[in-house]
Amino acid sequence: MSDIFTMCFIENNNELLVQKRIRKPFIGLWNAPVGKVKTHESPIEACKREIQEETGLNLDEVDFRGIIIITTSIRKKSDVLMLFHTKKFSGDINSSEEREVAWIETEKIYSYENTTSSFIYLLPYIIETNGTITGKIIYDKNNLETFDITV
């Protein structure tokens, strides 16, 4: 069975909230905060819970942006990634030894070396379009093999 994850793009003026990965895959790389949907939890509930736990922020409003299927050629298993976006939140970010979060200027993310390539490809679809996003991302180990997205 596939796992279901949420990914939330949180904007604050010209900055985007990013989180450093501490687990496989992509240890040490920055990405939008991601979390797993638990049993009896809706994707929006999971998104809000994960953001509060992982960053310290409370999401006041969140917009559903789409669904992507993520597959690796090694695992032969696909996961579902539910995409969300918001500019409405309260609280202050909270880093710890277990998780590091930071605001980074959105334009700098495109040239930042410590982010996953799929994050860089996905970002303009989230912040520059308004439609529902769907598609697939396929990795060969940690290398992006296929990025097929439609709006």
Side-chain angles (χ1 to χ4, degrees):
M1 182 172 171
S2 297
D3 288 325
I4 301 172
F5 295 90
T6 64
M7 175 180 272
C8 191
F9 293 78
I10 304 170
E11 284 188 88
N12 186 22
N13 298 318
N14 65 339
E15 295 180 317
L16 190 72
L17 186 69
V18 292
Q19 181 176 27
K20 188 181 274 187
R21 298 271 314 163
I22 59 168
R23 296 186 196 116
K24 291 182 180 181
F26 312 115
I27 293 173
L29 298 180
W30 294 90
N31 204 352
V34 175
K36 192 172 184 180
V37 177
K38 293 181 179 180
T39 304
H40 304 294
E41 200 174 39
S42 76
I44 289 178
E45 289 171 332
C47 179
K48 288 181 174 185
R49 175 189 51 76
E50 284 287 348
I51 293 302
Q52 205 291 315
E53 291 175 1
E54 300 289 324
T55 71
L57 297 179
N58 295 303
L59 300 183
D60 299 330
E61 187 177 304
V62 64
D63 296 320
F64 173 71
R65 292 304 314 277
I67 299 174
I68 294 178
I69 302 302
I70 299 188
T71 305
T72 63
S73 54
I74 293 173
R75 286 179 56 208
K76 304 292 185 205
K77 176 186 168 203
S78 296
D79 290 322
V80 177
L81 182 62
M82 311 280 292
L83 303 171
F84 296 93
H85 176 251
T86 189
K87 294 180 182 180
K88 297 180 180 183
F89 57 88
S90 58
D92 296 314
I93 61 172
N94 184 357
S95 286
S96 69
E97 286 184 16
E98 288 185 15
R99 59 187 77 80
E100 187 177 349
V101 292
W103 292 108
I104 296 181
E105 281 184 50
T106 305
E107 287 304 314
K108 289 185 178 180
I109 290 173
Y110 293 109
S111 61
Y112 197 57
E113 294 178 10
N114 294 327
T115 57
T116 64
S117 52
S118 58
F119 175 62
I120 301 241
Y121 289 136
L122 189 54
L123 184 56
Y125 289 95
I126 298 292
I127 63 175
E128 296 174 14
T129 68
N130 291 320
T132 302
I133 299 162
T134 188
K136 64 182 176 182
I137 296 175
I138 303 172
Y139 288 97
D140 179 14
K141 296 186 181 177
N142 284 348
N143 298 317
L144 183 62
E145 185 177 285
T146 303
F147 183 86
D148 183 13
I149 302 295
T150 57
V151 179

